[in-house]
Amino acid sequence: MATFPTLIPNDISFDYGVSNISEVSTFAGPVRFHHSKRINGHTLRLNYRGLSQTQTEELRTHYINSDGILRRFNLPTALWGGLSVVAADAEYRYTAPPQEEHKGLYYNVSITLKILDGTVSFYILNGNGAELPAQTVFTVGVFNGTAPFVLDCGNADPTVTLLLEAGGAKL
Amino acid sequence: MATFPALSPQSRTYISGSTPVTPINVLTGDEFAVRHTNASVGHILRLGYRGLTTEQHAELVNHYNFHGRFQPFNIPATVLTGSNLAFPANYQWIYAASPQTSYSPGVIETTIELQLVPPYTI
């Protein structure tokens, strides 16, 4: 899997992918069923203007080495121009052959890619660096012990400790 | 469910919805209509943003990543500033399509299309 050439495009355009849902149309609007937490299938278009022949051949060679739309590859994060859309190790595939315009000395190239693994929409709660405050006696309703209550994740990686502080809760 | 980012769009298009109705022609030439539900569907709101910062664009990306077309959400008043639009109570929005962004040096333009959906119980 060859990484895409590190050639910064003049402009890019893309969508945000699609969520893995299926839906049924009803008179009261669509009823949607969620199949996974992934958002993928983004379309990314890279537009290059004023490339040299050597640079154009780099792009052409990468398309050939990817066996056209068959193989997947990584994209240098610099091509996103600082935007945060997908993970840095996301995998891409060509959806169509690159379009080349030969203008004599310079070349314009347009490339269309599809992002295969996208993002996974879940939160990671990282308690690292949190300090355990002093414990105090606590008796409210069925809770009888010391506060704050500590939920120890043990050998979880990364190791975190989730604190559930009951405060002044009352039934 | 997180409220849509409070970013004022540079352009806004609104297509009003309607109630699902089936018109029936009768032999007298008159036309009757049968309404199938109390729901009002098909409201579309298109928002055009131009000149976003990378942080503002990331807000939009993150909101879409966590909601997709599945999870409905509310939109803040800043998105509808000056429109005087009002919608039925308890209706929420979903993404009608994947947002589109074009990024040329220093300029981020994003188009977002939202669809108003009724609650599952009316």
Side-chain angles (χ1 to χ4, degrees), chain A residues 19-158:
Chain A
S19 46
N20 284 209
I21 65 170
S22 55
E23 58 184 80
V24 176
S25 295
T26 72
F27 283 125
V31 175
R32 305 170 304 284
F33 302 90
H34 203 179
H35 300 292
S36 83
K37 290 187 179 298
R38 283 198 171 274
I39 306 284
N40 47 17
H42 307 58
T43 297
L44 170 65
R45 192 177 180 87
L46 312 173
N47 293 313
Y48 295 90
R49 291 189 292 278
L51 293 180
S52 66
Q53 182 174 359
T54 303
Q55 292 171 320
T56 304
E57 285 182 5
E58 277 187 65
L59 297 172
R60 198 183 298 146
T61 301
H62 183 266
Y63 176 75
I64 293 170
N65 291 341
S66 299
D67 289 326
I69 65 174
L70 176 65
R71 302 193 186 283
R72 52 181 67 195
F73 49 88
N74 297 118
L75 206 74
T77 55
L79 269 63
W80 282 100
L83 295 181
S84 176
V85 179
V86 292
D89 60 352
E91 294 185 327
Y92 301 70
R93 185 170 61 80
Y94 288 95
T95 59
Q99 302 289 314
E100 296 183 18
E101 286 184 317
H102 297 193
K103 300 289 190 180
L105 284 179
Y106 296 105
Y107 301 76
N108 298 336
V109 180
S110 180
I111 291 174
T112 306
L113 307 175
K114 184 173 185 176
I115 302 174
L116 300 173
D117 46 8
T119 58
V120 181
S121 56
F122 60 87
Y123 288 104
I124 297 175
L125 299 177
N126 190 337
N128 288 344
E131 294 183 1
L132 189 65
Q135 291 190 324
T136 58
V137 174
F138 178 87
T139 300
V140 175
V142 299
F143 295 100
N144 185 3
T146 55
F149 296 99
V150 175
L151 180 63
D152 194 335
C153 294
N155 294 324
D157 182 20

Side-chain angles (χ1 to χ4, degrees), chain A residues 12 14 16-17 23 27 32 81, chain B residues 20 57 64 69 98 101 103 105:
Chain A
I12 64 175
F14 55 92
Y16 294 7
E23 58 184 80
F27 283 125
R32 305 170 304 284
Chain B
H57 182 261
Y64 178 78
R69 184 170 162 74
S98 183
T101 291
Y103 183 26

Side-chain angles (χ1 to χ4, degrees), chain B residues 16-92:
Chain B
S16 183
S18 61
T19 306
V21 165
T22 298
I24 301 173
N25 291 314
V26 296
L27 292 176
T28 59
D30 203 346
E31 182 180 283
F32 292 91
V34 175
R35 187 175 69 180
H36 299 285
T37 171
N38 289 331
S40 176
V41 297
H43 300 259
I44 297 293
L45 183 64
R46 292 194 191 102
L47 308 173
Y49 294 92
R50 182 176 170 82
L52 294 169
T53 65
T54 53
E55 291 77 20
Q56 290 171 328
H57 182 261
E59 283 187 59
L60 296 174
V61 171
N62 289 335
H63 188 268
Y64 178 78
N65 282 344
F66 283 104
H67 293 80
R69 184 170 162 74
F70 179 73
Q71 186 69 42
F73 51 90
N74 297 316
I75 58 176
T78 49
V79 173
L80 300 173
T81 300
S83 67
N84 208 29
L85 285 170
F87 305 105
N90 299 322
Y91 281 50
Q92 290 184 300

